[in-house]
Amino acid sequence: MTEKQTAGHDNFGEFAPKFAELNDDVLFGQVWSRESKLSAKERSLITVTSLLTQGMFGPLEYHMQKAKENGVSKAEMVEAITQLVFYSGWPKAWTAMEMAKKIYAN
């Protein structure tokens, strides 16, 4: 089971409480906890793929680290990025591969 997310409440709880609730309680609570449907590892690979193809590198770094924590191996991450290079574009995949290299260095 994934750990309780509090980033929404921590960053936006007073400023935008509904946004914080949707982030922490719905997305990272209700959706990510449905591990009988998709494992955290599978959800991580899907999320990394989506963020990479959109070029959303800020959240990609966070989710790539979470993917590692959720059991996505270095070999699996490299293979996913290699697959995506032809669908997302070389610059996006290059940037993601650099990110993966740093995250999986430890």
Side-chain angles (χ1 to χ4, degrees):
M1 185 91 148
T2 59
E3 65 187 53
K4 171 83 172 123
Q5 176 65 256
T6 62
H9 286 90
D10 295 346
N11 290 297
F12 303 114
E14 289 184 32
F15 180 73
K18 188 60 172 181
F19 182 87
E21 175 192 344
L22 291 170
N23 183 79
D24 296 354
D25 303 337
V26 178
L27 174 59
F28 285 101
Q30 295 172 20
V31 175
W32 273 83
S33 68
R34 294 167 44 99
E35 291 189 34
S36 65
K37 307 295 181 189
L38 288 173
S39 69
K41 179 181 177 178
E42 292 165 326
R43 288 181 193 278
S44 284
L45 273 172
I46 291 166
T47 302
V48 165
T49 297
S50 177
L51 293 171
L52 188 160
T53 60
Q54 296 176 76
M56 303 291 293
F57 298 115
L60 177 60
E61 185 171 9
Y62 168 82
H63 281 283
M64 199 176 280
Q65 179 61 49
K66 285 313 246 180
K68 180 181 176 186
E69 293 169 17
N70 287 335
V72 176
S73 70
K74 173 186 152 192
E76 290 168 325
M77 184 62 70
V78 168
E79 190 62 25
I81 296 168
T82 301
Q83 173 77 18
L84 290 169
V85 73
F86 297 101
Y87 297 94
S88 67
W90 201 269
K92 289 177 186 174
W94 183 281
T95 301
M97 196 66 82
E98 287 181 326
M99 198 176 291
K101 184 178 178 183
K102 289 180 205 166
I103 288 169
Y104 283 90
N106 302 339

